[in-house]
Amino acid sequence: MRPSGRTADQLRDVKITRNYTKHAEGSVLVEFGDTKVICTASVERGVPRFLKGTGQGWITAEYGMLPRSTTERMGREASRGKQGGRTLEIQRLIGRALRAAVDMKKLGENTINIDCDVIQADGGTRTASITGACVALVDALRYMQEKKMVKTDPFLHMIAAISVGIYKGSPVLDLDYPEDSSAETDMNVVMTDAGGFIEVQGTAEAAPFSQNEMLAMMALARSGIEEIIELQKKALAE
Amino acid sequence: MRPSGRTADQLRDVKITRNYTKHAEGSVLVEFGDTKVICTASVERGVPRFLKGTGQGWITAEYGMLPRSTTERMGREASRGKQGGRTLEIQRLIGRALRAAVDMKKLGENTINIDCDVIQADGGTRTASITGACVALVDALRYMQEKKMVKTDPFLHMIAAISVGIYKGSPVLDLDYPEDSSAETDMNVVMTDAGGFIEVQGTAEAAPFSQNEMLAMMALARSGIEEIIELQKKALAE
Amino acid sequence: MRPSGRTADQLRDVKITRNYTKHAEGSVLVEFGDTKVICTASVERGVPRFLKGTGQGWITAEYGMLPRSTTERMGREASRGKQGGRTLEIQRLIGRALRAAVDMKKLGENTINIDCDVIQADGGTRTASITGACVALVDALRYMQEKKMVKTDPFLHMIAAISVGIYKGSPVLDLDYPEDSSAETDMNVVMTDAGGFIEVQGTAEAAPFSQNEMLAMMALARSGIEEIIELQKKALAE
Amino acid sequence: MRPSGRTADQLRDVKITRNYTKHAEGSVLVEFGDTKVICTASVERGVPRFLKGTGQGWITAEYGMLPRSTTERMGREASRGKQGGRTLEIQRLIGRALRAAVDMKKLGENTINIDCDVIQADGGTRTASITGACVALVDALRYMQEKKMVKTDPFLHMIAAISVGIYKGSPVLDLDYPEDSSAETDMNVVMTDAGGFIEVQGTAEAAPFSQNEMLAMMALARSGIEEIIELQKKALAE
Amino acid sequence: MRPSGRTADQLRDVKITRNYTKHAEGSVLVEFGDTKVICTASVERGVPRFLKGTGQGWITAEYGMLPRSTTERMGREASRGKQGGRTLEIQRLIGRALRAAVDMKKLGENTINIDCDVIQADGGTRTASITGACVALVDALRYMQEKKMVKTDPFLHMIAAISVGIYKGSPVLDLDYPEDSSAETDMNVVMTDAGGFIEVQGTAEAAPFSQNEMLAMMALARSGIEEIIELQKKALAE
Amino acid sequence: MRPSGRTADQLRDVKITRNYTKHAEGSVLVEFGDTKVICTASVERGVPRFLKGTGQGWITAEYGMLPRSTTERMGREASRGKQGGRTLEIQRLIGRALRAAVDMKKLGENTINIDCDVIQADGGTRTASITGACVALVDALRYMQEKKMVKTDPFLHMIAAISVGIYKGSPVLDLDYPEDSSAETDMNVVMTDAGGFIEVQGTAEAAPFSQNEMLAMMALARSGIEEIIELQKKALAE
């Protein structure tokens, strides 16, 4: 039995609110149950130095948590003077995942800055961030097309992410915080709408996991991501 | 004529939403028109070193802006590795203002950490922060009374804040961003519900201001703050 | 009775020594009683990036205290690796105040760097800094005229600053450290020689203050600043 | 055909030299072809604050590259004043992997600091680091047993790691730099000597990967890790 | 011929002003010609962690330059967020030199913090700092004896320092900035009043130097330091 | 008697291994007994800003120690976020010494970055670094001549360094850690193959030293450096 009473393959309520704030070219509030993340996509002309003159664009991501998005207040990274290792690891993952969704040549020498800021955390903030950010990214690309900043749509495919894990010996989908903090294995999966894998990160937290457990988790992830991509597309159709 | 069409003494729509996020002892979303700030008050046992053994409590504040809360994306302070001067100045102001609302002896050796995070900016973020944080503070103090962390209510008086200014030669209340960015004078005022001043910070942006202009701005501030304190009290009564 | 025996409207001895050090274009030692600050104005061709090509100049300020300028030794900010919030707040105030004294268009694309370094502190270091720096600024502008770096004098008006406060219930002028550390209200005022206000920053330290108290403090400030501006002009005439 | 002429399932020459430097309790030079990493395990009494009084130990890891371990010289992280995201991500991975090899309760309130410093890089530095560090860790645990710092051997199982990938459409084992820099997919796998997975991190670099590709990579990893673990055990038997 | 017209073995005017600022236990303005440094010695109970419980004291030093103490304005180290290598090198030298002047056991578990802040630079700031700081140190030790913080005088011997060099082929004493910036060799010497060497640091700036040149420079340094120690003792006798 | 049983004028075994790592233009492992340092010289087109357009080149050096190169593990500077004063002092010394070996005009607008990384420390790491780095530098200059990056050989003369000291009252050559940590005086000497001095840094650790002691140490240094330069030249001839 899961603490939330969900079945093993049941997602939390997933909500995607577009245009959540008014300044960004793409701005989404994504909610996976009590996990809430503001994802913005900001369009900027020009690219980092290592890409200048190549004709290619760039997508980069930053991630943060409000100090009291968590059960206990965390120190503010801006005030401590550096981002922690977990933050850097997550924002590198978000950036890699979203770059896989876009044709950098078609993007031209433009940069899209993704910001994912967790306002309430209850497990799965990195996968929620990728899921919400991909919707914000589509809005930003639409903006660029309207403004004639790109000639053709640089979007390759929708991307979504979910966490799966082994909890009390059984594979489960979309772990919330009570599950996440005591799972034996934790795995984050990023996939495309065509079913290809972009990223698979499985970690044994309490005991090594087997190939069979891994396959069971991947199957759960695949079905969960299919559901989420439907929700992304529905939100974008509104 | 003000860009928003408001009269000189008219506030923007002010909304105060309590329990906006679930983890903090006090959590408020405060909105002044399009300016939106999440204010949380986090209770922590113990005090900073300089107060240990004094029997007195402490209130401290931190302030941040989401990178795309503004028209142009700002660099993330956590990633640049330091908080800017403006941020530090604002969070020092918020901390001072809220300390003036509480009897530190009655608070006992406990600390309340105030976090004000701007998710959308349209002028007046520091005064909105103080206004929202004071409501979150009251909720945190109620929590402490329920948990018997304090013997008697340490709250002294409600505090609210507003900006006033000289815009195109006339005193106006509650400047939004278009006004703020071209005002001749900008003044932030913090007052108690008894009409006492906690902080007055007036700055000539384009031209020196006169004592009469200052008095006119203070009168506007006083009436605006009275209105806001009504809204705070109404929110707290729900 | 004030600890120093001064009357409520009496300044400490104010001394302004020009050409205090030999390298800077403007270099002043300013003393308000035992408070001693070295203020230099350094002329530099060029402006920060945000002003390039606008034809306008810039004035910026930095503030520091020698570690043992205070009763207890303070940690050296250079060694701690960052400037504290108080330092940043003060240097932002000094910069704003001095920019109000100069016509940036007439300054052309040149920068004046103000440095205010407290060698001995006894209250009122920020207002002494503004007062001394304005004299150093005039010397730097004279240097620029001699060197034909500007066509016409960019100076608009003399600026001076003073602190006032409510000490033991009474408004007093020019607080020294014993008064400052126990005042109920502390207010810093920056004015022009024409009597216009550049900055008014009043803070309730122990109790809210009333509008009447504010007016009384402002009247003291006005008369004190008039006296100080006389001394600045006398120093500049030598 | 692989650039090195190796078959798809062929490791580079792997060498493990124990007691490489003289001060550390465990000190190993590990070589995977031209990739060379010095791995030390340093024993320290006491644990970080969050474990004090729990009776449990801790293992933590740091990773670095000499500036000219790479084709182009990289800036020195100590001189830039911070470790990059890649470094933090890798050292978090190394620490997690090695903690999975040890029973923290049996370790008692002691800390083992793992340092992995790359002196020459040619692909696969993070997996070489884990492989070498596990040998250094065993030496450090032997030291602790000799010194009676632990009552029973805290070692759970040998851990080794290898990278696999899809290179020009085919799964290959142990990518060197020329392969790594143009692989379609890159996957790092950490396993125990009992064949359990500790960590699986697969990343699509150029195109999404399929489940079949993933399974093929995992099979390669399994056989490679078996070979490596033989080498670790042989080195430890000398 | 030296730019200043001095003979090869002639010091600049050296002035030592005690009690230059009022808060420090020892406070000296030291002048070597146009080089002016404020040196303070601050007494503090307790010692750094590595000395706790040893019964020994500690002396440490920090060095800084006001941004416009130099011909061109230098960036403020506090604002850049770190002390440069030159600063650290100098303050390590000052600390070592002054520790050689005091019996750490007799000092007991107390710390003396030396601060040397250059307000005007014209060559030789590090040697002027050591010379002035030693006088401030004596005043601080006298304070400690008066306050019964030490039982017997911990002072071992007077220390002074001077720079010498090879300028246009000839050995000269006490280089000013015009000499220092074009000398072939630069040497800083710290000696005791008994003629023992504490530190000798010779650096070839333009060409290697010979042993004979070194001996000539050392002879100049010896006679210069004798003169300076007379001035220190005279200042302390006043 | 020296702890190692060496005579007063006896070097430790000195080994110089060229081409120690494969990427750098010059790469040397230098060993003085148990002290082992990897020295690389990296060639880079272009110069720092202050030399642009002058036609001159630059040589700069960085120094680091692996955390467990020492008896007790030291904190990693990259992780603490800054290089310590000792590190900066040493790398400044290495840079100065090597710049003295090269004609900067003949080097043209190219930079050579020297990296000295201590993998095992047993006293004398800074002098071993200079000695090894000079050999790596020669290899880098040969590379530049082959690649036609310079027209004529910019090398001026071989440079080597050694530490000498007063240990238990007697002058000794090439102190190892047991000697270094209890010597009365410690002196580092850098010389050219023509017998000129580049740097002499003598420090009284426990007692002032006399001119005679200094001369005795210098004589030891001279003979030791002659021996070392033979070894450098032999290594370069292979």
Side-chain angles (χ1 to χ4, degrees), chain C residues 20 22-23 25 34 68-69 73 76 115 117 120, chain E residues 20 22-23 25 34 68-69 73 76 115 120:
Chain C
Y20 185 67
K22 73 172 187 177
H23 297 302
E25 287 73 34
D34 277 346
R68 197 56 195 281
S69 60
R73 185 179 182 273
R76 186 179 290 265
D115 287 288
D117 286 274
Q120 192 172 276
Chain E
Y20 185 67
K22 73 172 189 177
H23 297 301
E25 286 74 34
D34 277 346
R68 197 56 196 282
S69 59
R73 185 178 182 274
R76 185 179 289 267
D115 286 288
Q120 191 172 276

PDB file of all heavy atoms in Angstrom, chain C residues 20 22-23 25 34 68-69 73 76 115 117 120, chain E residues 20 22-23 25 34 68-69 73 76 115 120:
ATOM      1  N   TYR C  20      44.317  65.775   1.048  1.00  0.00           N
ATOM      2  CA  TYR C  20      44.827  65.011   2.181  1.00  0.00           C
ATOM      3  C   TYR C  20      45.809  63.931   1.732  1.00  0.00           C
ATOM      4  O   TYR C  20      46.788  63.658   2.399  1.00  0.00           O
ATOM      5  CB  TYR C  20      43.652  64.380   2.938  1.00  0.00           C
ATOM      6  CG  TYR C  20      44.096  63.675   4.178  1.00  0.00           C
ATOM      7  CD1 TYR C  20      44.619  64.411   5.249  1.00  0.00           C
ATOM      8  CD2 TYR C  20      44.022  62.299   4.289  1.00  0.00           C
ATOM      9  CE1 TYR C  20      45.049  63.768   6.390  1.00  0.00           C
ATOM     10  CE2 TYR C  20      44.456  61.660   5.444  1.00  0.00           C
ATOM     11  CZ  TYR C  20      44.967  62.395   6.482  1.00  0.00           C
ATOM     12  OH  TYR C  20      45.407  61.762   7.619  1.00  0.00           O
ATOM     13  N   LYS C  22      47.955  62.423  -1.955  1.00  0.00           N
ATOM     14  CA  LYS C  22      48.457  63.140  -3.120  1.00  0.00           C
ATOM     15  C   LYS C  22      48.050  62.573  -4.478  1.00  0.00           C
ATOM     16  O   LYS C  22      48.166  63.251  -5.484  1.00  0.00           O
ATOM     17  CB  LYS C  22      49.980  63.261  -3.051  1.00  0.00           C
ATOM     18  CG  LYS C  22      50.716  61.968  -3.319  1.00  0.00           C
ATOM     19  CD  LYS C  22      52.223  62.229  -3.434  1.00  0.00           C
ATOM     20  CE  LYS C  22      52.931  60.961  -3.879  1.00  0.00           C
ATOM     21  NZ  LYS C  22      54.360  61.120  -4.082  1.00  0.00           N
ATOM     22  N   HIS C  23      47.592  61.313  -4.544  1.00  0.00           N
ATOM     23  CA  HIS C  23      47.358  60.740  -5.862  1.00  0.00           C
ATOM     24  C   HIS C  23      45.990  61.085  -6.469  1.00  0.00           C
ATOM     25  O   HIS C  23      45.865  61.239  -7.674  1.00  0.00           O
ATOM     26  CB  HIS C  23      47.528  59.219  -5.824  1.00  0.00           C
ATOM     27  CG  HIS C  23      48.912  58.760  -5.461  1.00  0.00           C
ATOM     28  ND1 HIS C  23      50.021  59.112  -6.179  1.00  0.00           N
ATOM     29  CD2 HIS C  23      49.368  57.969  -4.452  1.00  0.00           C
ATOM     30  CE1 HIS C  23      51.111  58.565  -5.634  1.00  0.00           C
ATOM     31  NE2 HIS C  23      50.738  57.876  -4.574  1.00  0.00           N
ATOM     32  N   GLU C  25      42.447  62.817  -7.681  1.00  0.00           N
ATOM     33  CA  GLU C  25      42.083  64.114  -8.247  1.00  0.00           C
ATOM     34  C   GLU C  25      41.355  64.974  -7.207  1.00  0.00           C
ATOM     35  O   GLU C  25      41.437  66.202  -7.222  1.00  0.00           O
ATOM     36  CB  GLU C  25      41.221  63.919  -9.490  1.00  0.00           C
ATOM     37  CG  GLU C  25      42.029  63.422 -10.685  1.00  0.00           C
ATOM     38  CD  GLU C  25      42.451  61.966 -10.584  1.00  0.00           C
ATOM     39  OE1 GLU C  25      41.665  61.179 -10.020  1.00  0.00           O
ATOM     40  OE2 GLU C  25      43.557  61.618 -11.038  1.00  0.00           O
ATOM     41  N   ASP C  34      35.062  63.044  16.518  1.00  0.00           N
ATOM     42  CA  ASP C  34      36.015  61.923  16.425  1.00  0.00           C
ATOM     43  C   ASP C  34      35.770  61.020  15.222  1.00  0.00           C
ATOM     44  O   ASP C  34      36.498  60.040  15.039  1.00  0.00           O
ATOM     45  CB  ASP C  34      35.965  61.080  17.711  1.00  0.00           C
ATOM     46  CG  ASP C  34      36.835  61.688  18.802  1.00  0.00           C
ATOM     47  OD1 ASP C  34      37.662  62.567  18.489  1.00  0.00           O
ATOM     48  OD2 ASP C  34      36.682  61.281  19.968  1.00  0.00           O
ATOM     49  N   ARG C  68      39.992  48.490  12.642  1.00  0.00           N
ATOM     50  CA  ARG C  68      39.987  48.997  14.016  1.00  0.00           C
ATOM     51  C   ARG C  68      39.580  50.460  14.074  1.00  0.00           C
ATOM     52  O   ARG C  68      39.994  51.221  14.948  1.00  0.00           O
ATOM     53  CB  ARG C  68      41.335  48.789  14.690  1.00  0.00           C
ATOM     54  CG  ARG C  68      41.251  48.923  16.210  1.00  0.00           C
ATOM     55  CD  ARG C  68      40.208  47.969  16.796  1.00  0.00           C
ATOM     56  NE  ARG C  68      39.824  48.277  18.150  1.00  0.00           N
ATOM     57  CZ  ARG C  68      40.510  47.974  19.237  1.00  0.00           C
ATOM     58  NH1 ARG C  68      41.629  47.324  19.152  1.00  0.00           N
ATOM     59  NH2 ARG C  68      40.046  48.290  20.429  1.00  0.00           N
ATOM     60  N   SER C  69      38.739  50.893  13.129  1.00  0.00           N
ATOM     61  CA  SER C  69      38.146  52.225  13.229  1.00  0.00           C
ATOM     62  C   SER C  69      37.073  52.245  14.310  1.00  0.00           C
ATOM     63  O   SER C  69      36.612  53.312  14.703  1.00  0.00           O
ATOM     64  CB  SER C  69      37.533  52.621  11.889  1.00  0.00           C
ATOM     65  OG  SER C  69      36.537  51.700  11.509  1.00  0.00           O
ATOM     66  N   ARG C  73      37.328  45.546  17.257  1.00  0.00           N
ATOM     67  CA  ARG C  73      37.798  45.291  15.894  1.00  0.00           C
ATOM     68  C   ARG C  73      36.750  44.512  15.109  1.00  0.00           C
ATOM     69  O   ARG C  73      36.203  43.524  15.598  1.00  0.00           O
ATOM     70  CB  ARG C  73      39.103  44.481  15.933  1.00  0.00           C
ATOM     71  CG  ARG C  73      39.705  44.303  14.554  1.00  0.00           C
ATOM     72  CD  ARG C  73      41.002  43.522  14.598  1.00  0.00           C
ATOM     73  NE  ARG C  73      41.553  43.434  13.253  1.00  0.00           N
ATOM     74  CZ  ARG C  73      41.238  42.484  12.372  1.00  0.00           C
ATOM     75  NH1 ARG C  73      40.386  41.547  12.681  1.00  0.00           N
ATOM     76  NH2 ARG C  73      41.765  42.490  11.155  1.00  0.00           N
ATOM     77  N   ARG C  76      37.806  42.217   8.607  1.00  0.00           N
ATOM     78  CA  ARG C  76      38.094  42.947   7.378  1.00  0.00           C
ATOM     79  C   ARG C  76      37.250  42.354   6.251  1.00  0.00           C
ATOM     80  O   ARG C  76      37.290  41.139   6.002  1.00  0.00           O
ATOM     81  CB  ARG C  76      39.578  42.774   7.062  1.00  0.00           C
ATOM     82  CG  ARG C  76      40.112  43.576   5.879  1.00  0.00           C
ATOM     83  CD  ARG C  76      41.613  43.328   5.698  1.00  0.00           C
ATOM     84  NE  ARG C  76      42.380  43.937   6.774  1.00  0.00           N
ATOM     85  CZ  ARG C  76      42.934  45.152   6.695  1.00  0.00           C
ATOM     86  NH1 ARG C  76      42.852  45.844   5.567  1.00  0.00           N
ATOM     87  NH2 ARG C  76      43.588  45.654   7.706  1.00  0.00           N
ATOM     88  N   ASP C 115      35.605  57.075  -3.122  1.00  0.00           N
ATOM     89  CA  ASP C 115      35.946  56.111  -2.075  1.00  0.00           C
ATOM     90  C   ASP C 115      35.895  56.802  -0.724  1.00  0.00           C
ATOM     91  O   ASP C 115      36.576  57.809  -0.529  1.00  0.00           O
ATOM     92  CB  ASP C 115      37.364  55.548  -2.295  1.00  0.00           C
ATOM     93  CG  ASP C 115      37.402  54.585  -3.454  1.00  0.00           C
ATOM     94  OD1 ASP C 115      36.876  53.478  -3.305  1.00  0.00           O
ATOM     95  OD2 ASP C 115      37.925  54.958  -4.526  1.00  0.00           O
ATOM     96  N   ASP C 117      36.639  55.995   3.116  1.00  0.00           N
ATOM     97  CA  ASP C 117      37.215  55.011   4.042  1.00  0.00           C
ATOM     98  C   ASP C 117      37.311  55.616   5.432  1.00  0.00           C
ATOM     99  O   ASP C 117      38.035  56.596   5.649  1.00  0.00           O
ATOM    100  CB  ASP C 117      38.585  54.548   3.531  1.00  0.00           C
ATOM    101  CG  ASP C 117      38.416  53.611   2.342  1.00  0.00           C
ATOM    102  OD1 ASP C 117      38.242  52.400   2.566  1.00  0.00           O
ATOM    103  OD2 ASP C 117      38.409  54.094   1.196  1.00  0.00           O
ATOM    104  N   GLN C 120      38.395  56.419  11.610  1.00  0.00           N
ATOM    105  CA  GLN C 120      37.977  56.425  13.015  1.00  0.00           C
ATOM    106  C   GLN C 120      36.479  56.697  13.053  1.00  0.00           C
ATOM    107  O   GLN C 120      36.008  57.638  12.414  1.00  0.00           O
ATOM    108  CB  GLN C 120      38.740  57.488  13.800  1.00  0.00           C
ATOM    109  CG  GLN C 120      38.567  57.365  15.299  1.00  0.00           C
ATOM    110  CD  GLN C 120      39.495  58.324  16.041  1.00  0.00           C
ATOM    111  OE1 GLN C 120      40.659  58.047  16.299  1.00  0.00           O
ATOM    112  NE2 GLN C 120      38.957  59.479  16.358  1.00  0.00           N
TER     113      GLN C 120
ATOM    114  N   TYR E  20      47.530  57.372  16.906  1.00  0.00           N
ATOM    115  CA  TYR E  20      46.986  58.087  15.744  1.00  0.00           C
ATOM    116  C   TYR E  20      45.463  57.980  15.682  1.00  0.00           C
ATOM    117  O   TYR E  20      44.788  58.926  15.304  1.00  0.00           O
ATOM    118  CB  TYR E  20      47.610  57.527  14.468  1.00  0.00           C
ATOM    119  CG  TYR E  20      47.198  58.297  13.248  1.00  0.00           C
ATOM    120  CD1 TYR E  20      47.615  59.621  13.074  1.00  0.00           C
ATOM    121  CD2 TYR E  20      46.385  57.736  12.282  1.00  0.00           C
ATOM    122  CE1 TYR E  20      47.231  60.342  11.976  1.00  0.00           C
ATOM    123  CE2 TYR E  20      45.990  58.457  11.169  1.00  0.00           C
ATOM    124  CZ  TYR E  20      46.410  59.760  11.024  1.00  0.00           C
ATOM    125  OH  TYR E  20      46.020  60.488   9.939  1.00  0.00           O
ATOM    126  N   LYS E  22      41.910  56.431  18.023  1.00  0.00           N
ATOM    127  CA  LYS E  22      41.679  56.331  19.464  1.00  0.00           C
ATOM    128  C   LYS E  22      41.225  54.973  19.983  1.00  0.00           C
ATOM    129  O   LYS E  22      41.292  54.716  21.171  1.00  0.00           O
ATOM    130  CB  LYS E  22      40.701  57.424  19.913  1.00  0.00           C
ATOM    131  CG  LYS E  22      39.267  57.180  19.496  1.00  0.00           C
ATOM    132  CD  LYS E  22      38.334  58.220  20.148  1.00  0.00           C
ATOM    133  CE  LYS E  22      36.869  57.837  19.899  1.00  0.00           C
ATOM    134  NZ  LYS E  22      35.930  58.725  20.539  1.00  0.00           N
ATOM    135  N   HIS E  23      40.712  54.093  19.093  1.00  0.00           N
ATOM    136  CA  HIS E  23      40.124  52.866  19.634  1.00  0.00           C
ATOM    137  C   HIS E  23      41.136  51.750  19.895  1.00  0.00           C
ATOM    138  O   HIS E  23      40.970  50.976  20.825  1.00  0.00           O
ATOM    139  CB  HIS E  23      39.030  52.347  18.701  1.00  0.00           C
ATOM    140  CG  HIS E  23      37.868  53.277  18.551  1.00  0.00           C
ATOM    141  ND1 HIS E  23      37.100  53.692  19.617  1.00  0.00           N
ATOM    142  CD2 HIS E  23      37.317  53.869  17.448  1.00  0.00           C
ATOM    143  CE1 HIS E  23      36.137  54.505  19.180  1.00  0.00           C
ATOM    144  NE2 HIS E  23      36.254  54.638  17.869  1.00  0.00           N
ATOM    145  N   GLU E  25      44.405  49.419  20.852  1.00  0.00           N
ATOM    146  CA  GLU E  25      45.348  49.389  21.975  1.00  0.00           C
ATOM    147  C   GLU E  25      46.708  49.924  21.539  1.00  0.00           C
ATOM    148  O   GLU E  25      47.435  50.489  22.340  1.00  0.00           O
ATOM    149  CB  GLU E  25      45.460  47.952  22.515  1.00  0.00           C
ATOM    150  CG  GLU E  25      44.232  47.525  23.306  1.00  0.00           C
ATOM    151  CD  GLU E  25      43.030  47.226  22.425  1.00  0.00           C
ATOM    152  OE1 GLU E  25      43.228  46.724  21.302  1.00  0.00           O
ATOM    153  OE2 GLU E  25      41.888  47.513  22.838  1.00  0.00           O
ATOM    154  N   ASP E  34      56.661  59.858   1.309  1.00  0.00           N
ATOM    155  CA  ASP E  34      55.242  59.932   0.952  1.00  0.00           C
ATOM    156  C   ASP E  34      54.475  58.644   1.188  1.00  0.00           C
ATOM    157  O   ASP E  34      53.271  58.579   0.914  1.00  0.00           O
ATOM    158  CB  ASP E  34      55.100  60.345  -0.526  1.00  0.00           C
ATOM    159  CG  ASP E  34      55.196  61.863  -0.701  1.00  0.00           C
ATOM    160  OD1 ASP E  34      55.106  62.587   0.316  1.00  0.00           O
ATOM    161  OD2 ASP E  34      55.358  62.321  -1.853  1.00  0.00           O
ATOM    162  N   ARG E  68      42.601  54.410  -3.578  1.00  0.00           N
ATOM    163  CA  ARG E  68      43.323  55.484  -4.252  1.00  0.00           C
ATOM    164  C   ARG E  68      44.580  55.877  -3.494  1.00  0.00           C
ATOM    165  O   ARG E  68      45.019  57.031  -3.566  1.00  0.00           O
ATOM    166  CB  ARG E  68      42.411  56.696  -4.497  1.00  0.00           C
ATOM    167  CG  ARG E  68      42.985  57.661  -5.533  1.00  0.00           C
ATOM    168  CD  ARG E  68      43.286  56.946  -6.855  1.00  0.00           C
ATOM    169  NE  ARG E  68      44.134  57.670  -7.755  1.00  0.00           N
ATOM    170  CZ  ARG E  68      43.782  58.680  -8.538  1.00  0.00           C
ATOM    171  NH1 ARG E  68      42.536  59.100  -8.538  1.00  0.00           N
ATOM    172  NH2 ARG E  68      44.648  59.264  -9.331  1.00  0.00           N
ATOM    173  N   SER E  69      45.178  54.932  -2.792  1.00  0.00           N
ATOM    174  CA  SER E  69      46.494  55.183  -2.192  1.00  0.00           C
ATOM    175  C   SER E  69      47.569  55.164  -3.274  1.00  0.00           C
ATOM    176  O   SER E  69      48.698  55.574  -3.028  1.00  0.00           O
ATOM    177  CB  SER E  69      46.806  54.112  -1.148  1.00  0.00           C
ATOM    178  OG  SER E  69      46.797  52.836  -1.738  1.00  0.00           O
ATOM    179  N   ARG E  73      43.866  54.318  -9.522  1.00  0.00           N
ATOM    180  CA  ARG E  73      42.975  53.669  -8.558  1.00  0.00           C
ATOM    181  C   ARG E  73      42.987  52.145  -8.772  1.00  0.00           C
ATOM    182  O   ARG E  73      42.865  51.683  -9.893  1.00  0.00           O
ATOM    183  CB  ARG E  73      41.545  54.195  -8.726  1.00  0.00           C
ATOM    184  CG  ARG E  73      40.601  53.643  -7.673  1.00  0.00           C
ATOM    185  CD  ARG E  73      39.197  54.193  -7.814  1.00  0.00           C
ATOM    186  NE  ARG E  73      38.356  53.677  -6.751  1.00  0.00           N
ATOM    187  CZ  ARG E  73      37.708  52.505  -6.814  1.00  0.00           C
ATOM    188  NH1 ARG E  73      37.776  51.780  -7.887  1.00  0.00           N
ATOM    189  NH2 ARG E  73      36.984  52.082  -5.786  1.00  0.00           N
ATOM    190  N   ARG E  76      38.864  47.768  -5.199  1.00  0.00           N
ATOM    191  CA  ARG E  76      38.791  47.498  -3.764  1.00  0.00           C
ATOM    192  C   ARG E  76      38.677  45.989  -3.563  1.00  0.00           C
ATOM    193  O   ARG E  76      37.779  45.351  -4.123  1.00  0.00           O
ATOM    194  CB  ARG E  76      37.546  48.215  -3.218  1.00  0.00           C
ATOM    195  CG  ARG E  76      37.344  48.162  -1.721  1.00  0.00           C
ATOM    196  CD  ARG E  76      36.079  48.933  -1.346  1.00  0.00           C
ATOM    197  NE  ARG E  76      36.250  50.351  -1.497  1.00  0.00           N
ATOM    198  CZ  ARG E  76      36.631  51.184  -0.520  1.00  0.00           C
ATOM    199  NH1 ARG E  76      36.809  50.703   0.704  1.00  0.00           N
ATOM    200  NH2 ARG E  76      36.793  52.464  -0.743  1.00  0.00           N
ATOM    201  N   ASP E 115      46.756  45.364  11.999  1.00  0.00           N
ATOM    202  CA  ASP E 115      46.191  45.825  10.729  1.00  0.00           C
ATOM    203  C   ASP E 115      47.058  46.925  10.167  1.00  0.00           C
ATOM    204  O   ASP E 115      47.311  47.924  10.850  1.00  0.00           O
ATOM    205  CB  ASP E 115      44.763  46.368  10.936  1.00  0.00           C
ATOM    206  CG  ASP E 115      43.775  45.254  11.174  1.00  0.00           C
ATOM    207  OD1 ASP E 115      43.471  44.534  10.221  1.00  0.00           O
ATOM    208  OD2 ASP E 115      43.338  45.078  12.327  1.00  0.00           O
ATOM    209  N   GLN E 120      48.599  56.124   1.679  1.00  0.00           N
ATOM    210  CA  GLN E 120      49.302  56.723   0.541  1.00  0.00           C
ATOM    211  C   GLN E 120      50.547  55.887   0.258  1.00  0.00           C
ATOM    212  O   GLN E 120      51.295  55.585   1.186  1.00  0.00           O
ATOM    213  CB  GLN E 120      49.673  58.170   0.847  1.00  0.00           C
ATOM    214  CG  GLN E 120      50.154  58.933  -0.357  1.00  0.00           C
ATOM    215  CD  GLN E 120      50.327  60.417  -0.047  1.00  0.00           C
ATOM    216  OE1 GLN E 120      49.395  61.191  -0.087  1.00  0.00           O
ATOM    217  NE2 GLN E 120      51.550  60.783   0.291  1.00  0.00           N
TER     218      GLN E 120
END
